[in-house]
Amino acid sequence: MTLEKAYALKSSGEAKALYDEWAESYEADFADAKGYSYPEAVAKVLIRNAHAGLQTVLDVGCGTGLVGQALCKLRPETLIDGLDLSQAMLDQAQMKSVYRDLFAADMNAPLPFPDQHYSAVASAGTFTHGHVGPDPLPELVRVLASGGLAAIGVNAQVYTSLDFASAFAALDDQIENFRTIAVPIYTGGQIATDDNLATIAVFNKR
């Protein structure tokens, strides 16, 4: 499997097929090999901005569980749920024993959670080339509790090309304290500089 194949995905069906096949070797082939530091960066941003009442976190596009693993190390008492399109990836995440529940779901459809269900929402690696665009953002805000915190990572090139800034601006009546933080996606020196940045959108639900 290659990053180029992931970036070339054109549908949820293609994404599910690729990640189902990639699941068992994903961390060795990609995360470890390329110094994939993005999940830890998102976890650190979330915890650094969280208040003492943080109880439940939804890890969106959790994959093999790297964000959840980082969150658990930083704040072990937090209850973390994971959501991903690929059941095979969720099976890998389950083995980390850091999630309360794991859900197989397509982010391009309504999420299987009630309104204001989570204290926080986090995501790393889901909003990128060939994956989902900004359309799911209202659903992420919907499931976030009033006063809840989001740390949503978006590939920096995609943030610009798909105009995530306008998508977040359209949610202005529902969110507050919006800011962005630039972080490297990789620290292993394996990826060209112009595709090694993510924009983490941080905000609270009104």
PDB file of all heavy atoms in Angstrom, residues 24-39:
ATOM      1  N   GLU A  24      -3.767  -4.294   8.670  1.00  0.00           N
ATOM      2  CA  GLU A  24      -2.795  -5.050   9.476  1.00  0.00           C
ATOM      3  C   GLU A  24      -1.380  -4.500   9.356  1.00  0.00           C
ATOM      4  O   GLU A  24      -0.594  -4.599  10.302  1.00  0.00           O
ATOM      5  CB  GLU A  24      -2.827  -6.531   9.088  1.00  0.00           C
ATOM      6  CG  GLU A  24      -4.090  -7.245   9.542  1.00  0.00           C
ATOM      7  CD  GLU A  24      -3.996  -8.742   9.358  1.00  0.00           C
ATOM      8  OE1 GLU A  24      -2.881  -9.251   9.073  1.00  0.00           O
ATOM      9  OE2 GLU A  24      -5.041  -9.420   9.486  1.00  0.00           O
ATOM     10  N   SER A  25      -1.042  -3.926   8.228  1.00  0.00           N
ATOM     11  CA  SER A  25       0.328  -3.429   8.033  1.00  0.00           C
ATOM     12  C   SER A  25       0.421  -1.909   8.070  1.00  0.00           C
ATOM     13  O   SER A  25       1.500  -1.345   7.873  1.00  0.00           O
ATOM     14  CB  SER A  25       0.883  -3.938   6.693  1.00  0.00           C
ATOM     15  OG  SER A  25       0.119  -3.439   5.606  1.00  0.00           O
ATOM     16  N   TYR A  26      -0.685  -1.225   8.336  1.00  0.00           N
ATOM     17  CA  TYR A  26      -0.740   0.239   8.251  1.00  0.00           C
ATOM     18  C   TYR A  26       0.322   0.913   9.118  1.00  0.00           C
ATOM     19  O   TYR A  26       1.035   1.808   8.665  1.00  0.00           O
ATOM     20  CB  TYR A  26      -2.135   0.707   8.657  1.00  0.00           C
ATOM     21  CG  TYR A  26      -2.295   2.205   8.754  1.00  0.00           C
ATOM     22  CD1 TYR A  26      -2.568   2.969   7.625  1.00  0.00           C
ATOM     23  CD2 TYR A  26      -2.188   2.865   9.979  1.00  0.00           C
ATOM     24  CE1 TYR A  26      -2.728   4.349   7.708  1.00  0.00           C
ATOM     25  CE2 TYR A  26      -2.345   4.243  10.073  1.00  0.00           C
ATOM     26  CZ  TYR A  26      -2.614   4.972   8.943  1.00  0.00           C
ATOM     27  OH  TYR A  26      -2.761   6.340   9.033  1.00  0.00           O
ATOM     28  N   GLU A  27       0.440   0.497  10.346  1.00  0.00           N
ATOM     29  CA  GLU A  27       1.372   1.180  11.243  1.00  0.00           C
ATOM     30  C   GLU A  27       2.827   0.910  10.861  1.00  0.00           C
ATOM     31  O   GLU A  27       3.659   1.821  10.858  1.00  0.00           O
ATOM     32  CB  GLU A  27       1.087   0.797  12.688  1.00  0.00           C
ATOM     33  CG  GLU A  27      -0.256   1.355  13.159  1.00  0.00           C
ATOM     34  CD  GLU A  27      -0.473   1.191  14.653  1.00  0.00           C
ATOM     35  OE1 GLU A  27       0.514   1.040  15.402  1.00  0.00           O
ATOM     36  OE2 GLU A  27      -1.652   1.199  15.068  1.00  0.00           O
ATOM     37  N   ALA A  28       3.146  -0.330  10.519  1.00  0.00           N
ATOM     38  CA  ALA A  28       4.528  -0.647  10.130  1.00  0.00           C
ATOM     39  C   ALA A  28       4.892  -0.023   8.791  1.00  0.00           C
ATOM     40  O   ALA A  28       5.972   0.564   8.626  1.00  0.00           O
ATOM     41  CB  ALA A  28       4.714  -2.160  10.070  1.00  0.00           C
ATOM     42  N   ASP A  29       3.963  -0.120   7.808  1.00  0.00           N
ATOM     43  CA  ASP A  29       4.241   0.369   6.453  1.00  0.00           C
ATOM     44  C   ASP A  29       4.231   1.882   6.350  1.00  0.00           C
ATOM     45  O   ASP A  29       4.966   2.464   5.543  1.00  0.00           O
ATOM     46  CB  ASP A  29       3.196  -0.175   5.470  1.00  0.00           C
ATOM     47  CG  ASP A  29       3.347  -1.662   5.218  1.00  0.00           C
ATOM     48  OD1 ASP A  29       4.330  -2.238   5.694  1.00  0.00           O
ATOM     49  OD2 ASP A  29       2.463  -2.224   4.546  1.00  0.00           O
ATOM     50  N   PHE A  30       3.387   2.502   7.145  1.00  0.00           N
ATOM     51  CA  PHE A  30       3.169   3.939   6.985  1.00  0.00           C
ATOM     52  C   PHE A  30       3.534   4.738   8.236  1.00  0.00           C
ATOM     53  O   PHE A  30       4.469   5.545   8.228  1.00  0.00           O
ATOM     54  CB  PHE A  30       1.710   4.202   6.604  1.00  0.00           C
ATOM     55  CG  PHE A  30       1.321   5.653   6.648  1.00  0.00           C
ATOM     56  CD1 PHE A  30       1.898   6.567   5.771  1.00  0.00           C
ATOM     57  CD2 PHE A  30       0.392   6.112   7.568  1.00  0.00           C
ATOM     58  CE1 PHE A  30       1.556   7.911   5.821  1.00  0.00           C
ATOM     59  CE2 PHE A  30       0.044   7.446   7.622  1.00  0.00           C
ATOM     60  CZ  PHE A  30       0.620   8.353   6.752  1.00  0.00           C
ATOM     61  N   ALA A  31       2.812   4.530   9.330  1.00  0.00           N
ATOM     62  CA  ALA A  31       2.989   5.385  10.506  1.00  0.00           C
ATOM     63  C   ALA A  31       4.411   5.326  11.062  1.00  0.00           C
ATOM     64  O   ALA A  31       5.056   6.356  11.279  1.00  0.00           O
ATOM     65  CB  ALA A  31       1.980   4.996  11.585  1.00  0.00           C
ATOM     66  N   ASP A  32       4.913   4.124  11.265  1.00  0.00           N
ATOM     67  CA  ASP A  32       6.265   3.994  11.814  1.00  0.00           C
ATOM     68  C   ASP A  32       7.318   4.371  10.771  1.00  0.00           C
ATOM     69  O   ASP A  32       8.292   5.064  11.073  1.00  0.00           O
ATOM     70  CB  ASP A  32       6.504   2.560  12.296  1.00  0.00           C
ATOM     71  CG  ASP A  32       5.601   2.175  13.459  1.00  0.00           C
ATOM     72  OD1 ASP A  32       5.083   3.089  14.135  1.00  0.00           O
ATOM     73  OD2 ASP A  32       5.412   0.968  13.687  1.00  0.00           O
ATOM     74  N   ALA A  33       7.119   3.918   9.545  1.00  0.00           N
ATOM     75  CA  ALA A  33       8.124   4.124   8.504  1.00  0.00           C
ATOM     76  C   ALA A  33       8.320   5.600   8.160  1.00  0.00           C
ATOM     77  O   ALA A  33       9.429   6.023   7.829  1.00  0.00           O
ATOM     78  CB  ALA A  33       7.736   3.345   7.240  1.00  0.00           C
ATOM     79  N   LYS A  34       7.245   6.384   8.251  1.00  0.00           N
ATOM     80  CA  LYS A  34       7.325   7.774   7.821  1.00  0.00           C
ATOM     81  C   LYS A  34       7.345   8.767   8.987  1.00  0.00           C
ATOM     82  O   LYS A  34       7.290   9.973   8.781  1.00  0.00           O
ATOM     83  CB  LYS A  34       6.161   8.091   6.877  1.00  0.00           C
ATOM     84  CG  LYS A  34       6.213   7.275   5.590  1.00  0.00           C
ATOM     85  CD  LYS A  34       5.159   7.710   4.610  1.00  0.00           C
ATOM     86  CE  LYS A  34       5.197   6.868   3.333  1.00  0.00           C
ATOM     87  NZ  LYS A  34       6.474   6.973   2.622  1.00  0.00           N
ATOM     88  N   GLY A  35       7.424   8.268  10.212  1.00  0.00           N
ATOM     89  CA  GLY A  35       7.453   9.173  11.347  1.00  0.00           C
ATOM     90  C   GLY A  35       6.171   9.983  11.472  1.00  0.00           C
ATOM     91  O   GLY A  35       6.188  11.207  11.610  1.00  0.00           O
ATOM     92  N   TYR A  36       5.033   9.292  11.442  1.00  0.00           N
ATOM     93  CA  TYR A  36       3.712   9.925  11.425  1.00  0.00           C
ATOM     94  C   TYR A  36       3.380  10.462  12.817  1.00  0.00           C
ATOM     95  O   TYR A  36       2.854   9.748  13.672  1.00  0.00           O
ATOM     96  CB  TYR A  36       2.684   8.890  10.973  1.00  0.00           C
ATOM     97  CG  TYR A  36       1.297   9.387  10.718  1.00  0.00           C
ATOM     98  CD1 TYR A  36       1.046  10.471   9.892  1.00  0.00           C
ATOM     99  CD2 TYR A  36       0.206   8.723  11.268  1.00  0.00           C
ATOM    100  CE1 TYR A  36      -0.243  10.898   9.623  1.00  0.00           C
ATOM    101  CE2 TYR A  36      -1.102   9.137  11.016  1.00  0.00           C
ATOM    102  CZ  TYR A  36      -1.313  10.222  10.191  1.00  0.00           C
ATOM    103  OH  TYR A  36      -2.606  10.632   9.936  1.00  0.00           O
ATOM    104  N   SER A  37       3.676  11.734  13.048  1.00  0.00           N
ATOM    105  CA  SER A  37       3.510  12.353  14.365  1.00  0.00           C
ATOM    106  C   SER A  37       2.192  13.105  14.521  1.00  0.00           C
ATOM    107  O   SER A  37       1.879  13.614  15.603  1.00  0.00           O
ATOM    108  CB  SER A  37       4.666  13.327  14.619  1.00  0.00           C
ATOM    109  OG  SER A  37       4.736  14.301  13.583  1.00  0.00           O
ATOM    110  N   TYR A  38       1.416  13.182  13.470  1.00  0.00           N
ATOM    111  CA  TYR A  38       0.160  13.936  13.426  1.00  0.00           C
ATOM    112  C   TYR A  38      -0.840  13.529  14.521  1.00  0.00           C
ATOM    113  O   TYR A  38      -1.393  14.395  15.207  1.00  0.00           O
ATOM    114  CB  TYR A  38      -0.406  13.752  12.029  1.00  0.00           C
ATOM    115  CG  TYR A  38      -1.590  14.555  11.588  1.00  0.00           C
ATOM    116  CD1 TYR A  38      -2.058  15.662  12.276  1.00  0.00           C
ATOM    117  CD2 TYR A  38      -2.230  14.201  10.392  1.00  0.00           C
ATOM    118  CE1 TYR A  38      -3.152  16.377  11.806  1.00  0.00           C
ATOM    119  CE2 TYR A  38      -3.309  14.924   9.917  1.00  0.00           C
ATOM    120  CZ  TYR A  38      -3.774  15.997  10.625  1.00  0.00           C
ATOM    121  OH  TYR A  38      -4.839  16.709  10.148  1.00  0.00           O
ATOM    122  N   PRO A  39      -1.108  12.225  14.722  1.00  0.00           N
ATOM    123  CA  PRO A  39      -2.068  11.850  15.769  1.00  0.00           C
ATOM    124  C   PRO A  39      -1.672  12.356  17.151  1.00  0.00           C
ATOM    125  O   PRO A  39      -2.522  12.849  17.908  1.00  0.00           O
ATOM    126  CB  PRO A  39      -2.067  10.318  15.706  1.00  0.00           C
ATOM    127  CG  PRO A  39      -1.661   9.996  14.311  1.00  0.00           C
ATOM    128  CD  PRO A  39      -0.647  11.040  13.958  1.00  0.00           C
TER     129      PRO A  39
END
